[in-house]
Amino acid sequence: MSVQSTLSVAAVVADATVHTVAADVYTVSAGRIGAVLSALLGLLGSVGGGLALARSTARGRVLTWARRNGAVTALVSGPLAVAIGATVAATARGGLGTGNGLGGAYVAILLGLTAVTLGSLARSRTRTRTTH
């Protein structure tokens, strides 16, 4: 066996150990669960903040609740979504598409920041209206 063939075999073996194996589509990992839950938290906050900011005049239980509590819901669930999403992103092994929840973590961070922004806008709008 020549030196060149030995080096090529070693390169193939080293190359096989470097690649991370992507998770199956149906595999439920802790990263995926954390990313999905934090994205749902961010979505809840974004919807609550958006409804509180919109202040629709329609009557109903959900809309009345959103006018009263939507900003607070957004300001509580938004930072939680950002914190959990950042934790999942920091601890994910591999890149996007490997099944570790990295893409969902990025979506959760974006939705959490949106919830915080909408909640703070709705809250400041409430404060300025009640003081005058």
Side-chain angles (χ1 to χ4, degrees):
M1 195 162 159
S2 69
V3 173
Q4 184 178 7
S5 64
T6 305
L7 290 176
S8 64
V9 170
V12 169
V13 171
D15 189 46
T17 58
V18 170
H19 293 295
T20 58
V21 178
D24 188 23
V25 175
Y26 300 108
T27 303
V28 180
S29 65
R32 282 184 178 177
I33 292 172
V36 167
L37 290 178
S38 62
L40 287 176
L41 265 175
L43 183 63
L44 172 74
S46 296
V47 168
L51 287 175
L53 191 60
R55 290 182 174 230
S56 63
T57 59
R59 293 185 178 218
R61 288 184 177 181
V62 173
L63 294 176
T64 302
W65 178 88
R67 278 189 304 242
R68 292 181 184 165
N69 303 322
V72 175
T73 302
L75 290 174
V76 170
S77 65
L80 283 173
V82 170
I84 296 171
T87 303
V88 170
T91 59
R93 292 184 182 173
L96 287 171
T98 58
N100 294 316
L102 189 60
Y106 291 155
V107 170
I109 292 170
L110 185 67
L111 284 172
L113 291 175
T114 304
V116 169
T117 303
L118 290 174
S120 62
L121 285 173
R123 190 76 175 149
S124 67
R125 183 177 179 185
T126 303
R127 272 189 253 139
T128 58
R129 284 212 141 168
T130 57
T131 57
H132 290 278

